[in-house]
Amino acid sequence: MKFSYISHLHCPKCQTKYGSDVIQQLCACGSPLLVDYDLQELKKHWTPASLAGRSNDLWRYHELLPVVDPENIVTLGEGMTPLLPMDRIGSAMGIDHLWMKDEGIIPTGSFKARGAAVGVSKAKELAVQELAMPTNGNAGAAWALYAARAGIQASIVMPVEAPVITRNECAISGANLNLVNGLISDAGKIVGQAVKEYNLYDASTLKEPYRIEGKKTMGLEIIEQLDWKLPDVILYPTGGGVGLIGIYKALQELVELGWIENKLPRLVAVQAKGCAPIVKAWEEGKADSQFWEDSTTIAFGINVPKALGDFLVLEAIYKTGGCAIAIDDAELLREQADVARLEGVFICPEGAATFSAARKLRESGWIQQNETVIALNTGSGIKYPETVQVEVPVLEPGERMTRG
Ligand SMILES: Cc1ncc(COP(=O)(O)O)c(C=O)c1O
Ligand SMILES: [Zn+2]
């Protein structure tokens, strides 16, 4: 048995193949590259029973991950987050089997830890010494911290308005942090320039092929946690869309391994009304999206006006019979409070958008009462203290409180 069954990289646009043992960024045609594994060979030795007794983190799926030598793994214990039943809010929505995959308790406080763990580990394997990336906050924080653990120097550029805590995570880990008075797309241009000028490894979303492999493990875990049975619907808060592309890739690989049947869950891209390029493209039946002007939303991680992998997100939606839906900020904030009040979890605004989407899709009949529905909470609400406005009485010592 090999540790990893990675075979090569391929371009989903022009089908060119590339080796995976040297640094590759985009395909010569400008498309992101995807990782291929020798699934036919792996299938001969590997079954769900092989996972018994393995570490309770995402490295339990190492055969389907790109790191060839276990010595290169950079880990903070990420993965195998809980899949929680959400019965009270589910019943309020009229959904009998509503679950939440809770990424709020993973290292660095968001699911970006998965992409960073696998991306940084592979960067280490490829002898990268300096990387750079634009971010809406959480990804930069995760990559800065994992890069610190790997001994790789990170340069991060994020919008001034990104959650302050993510700025602090970058700063304390010793990253070269720059803020930009603009959006992630503006940060991307600055990074692009620096990458050329200083010959850095470009860790921008989908400009290196391995982050998606880390995010793919959310899909593997959900299915393993459901005992290799498929849910009907998975809702994902979509910015760059890497998580959704990754979950779709995980499902396809499991089908090819023969571990699940080929009746994939309907994948739903959830966006904010103030930044919904994928929703617009889906409504118009297009294969890719257009830049969304003047985008804005409190769900900062999904404020991505144009995603490099938009065509892959749309393909995953079309091929699974899914859909795309936009939620406004007031709705998602209400939902965030409902989830805390009814279920005891302080989820992030991006995650809250997936619950609003489930509610709306149930109301419209797109989701049926008896379907199994998974909402992805991609991070901890604790990272976004400003989303909660509190008005509480302040007592003097000895004063009596009212009963509430
Ligand atoms: C909490 C959170 N949710 C969702 C997203 C969107 O992720 P993706 O780029 O995979 O669409 C982000 C990205 O920054 C995020 O921070
Ligand atoms: Zn290509």
Side-chain angles (χ1 to χ4, degrees), residues 10-254:
H10 87 273
C11 171
K13 273 216 167 125
C14 72
Q15 311 308 328
T16 306
K17 289 185 178 173
Y18 293 85
S20 56
D21 46 4
V22 288
I23 291 175
Q24 306 285 2
Q25 306 253 223
L26 293 175
C27 178
C29 80
S31 165
L33 295 172
L34 298 176
V35 180
D36 282 332
Y37 297 85
D38 189 354
L39 297 176
Q40 290 317 313
E41 185 57 29
L42 176 56
K43 202 175 168 173
K44 294 183 195 155
H45 324 279
W46 208 44
T47 67
S50 318
L51 299 173
R54 289 208 176 170
S55 63
N56 211 30
D57 59 28
L58 62 77
W59 299 102
R60 66 198 275 103
Y61 309 112
H62 57 78
E63 286 88 343
L64 282 182
L65 292 172
V67 178
V68 174
D69 180 350
E71 288 284 306
N72 292 320
I73 288 177
V74 181
T75 181
L76 296 168
E78 56 289 329
M80 260 306 160
T81 53
L83 185 66
L84 301 171
M86 302 297 269
D87 294 344
R88 292 181 74 201
I89 195 151
S91 97
M93 288 181 194
I95 300 176
D96 292 346
H97 309 287
L98 178 64
W99 299 81
M100 175 172 77
K101 179 70 171 161
D102 188 11
E103 297 288 294
I105 61 162
I106 202 165
T108 79
S110 91
F111 76 126
K112 299 283 180 180
R114 295 179 187 268
V118 175
V120 167
S121 298
K122 190 66 188 178
K124 185 177 168 199
E125 189 154 86
L126 296 170
V128 168
Q129 288 178 347
E130 247 184 294
L131 62 81
M133 67 189 300
T135 175
N136 266 341
N138 284 324
W143 280 73
L145 287 156
Y146 279 87
R149 191 162 173 85
I152 294 174
Q153 176 63 41
S155 287
I156 310 286
V157 187
M158 69 170 71
V160 179
E161 288 185 2
V164 175
I165 187 71
T166 61
R167 196 191 282 185
N168 298 353
E169 290 172 280
C170 294
I172 200 157
S173 61
N176 166 33
L177 173 67
N178 288 266
L179 303 180
V180 58
N181 250 324
L183 295 172
I184 188 170
S185 40
D186 301 301
K189 285 180 198 144
I190 293 169
V191 167
Q193 179 86 38
V195 161
K196 271 202 220 120
E197 204 173 328
Y198 310 123
N199 194 26
L200 307 175
Y201 183 63
D202 192 342
S204 309
T205 304
L206 292 174
K207 288 194 181 165
E208 59 76 53
Y210 303 109
R211 181 199 297 210
I212 184 175
E213 296 304 299
K215 292 198 177 177
K216 169 178 99 175
T217 59
M218 288 187 292
L220 300 174
E221 288 178 20
I222 289 168
I223 308 300
E224 183 177 1
Q225 288 169 317
L226 292 175
D227 207 13
W228 309 107
K229 289 186 201 62
L230 291 168
D232 297 293
V233 175
I234 300 178
L235 302 123
Y236 179 78
T238 305
V242 185
L244 195 117
I245 302 166
I247 290 171
Y248 181 54
K249 189 169 187 284
L251 293 167
Q252 288 174 305
E253 288 173 358
L254 290 177

Side-chain angles (χ1 to χ4, degrees), residues 387-401:
T387 56
V388 189
Q389 307 296 323
V390 273
E391 274 181 37
V392 289
V394 179
L395 306 177
E396 294 306 323
E399 229 182 305
R400 300 179 70 191
M401 69 167 187

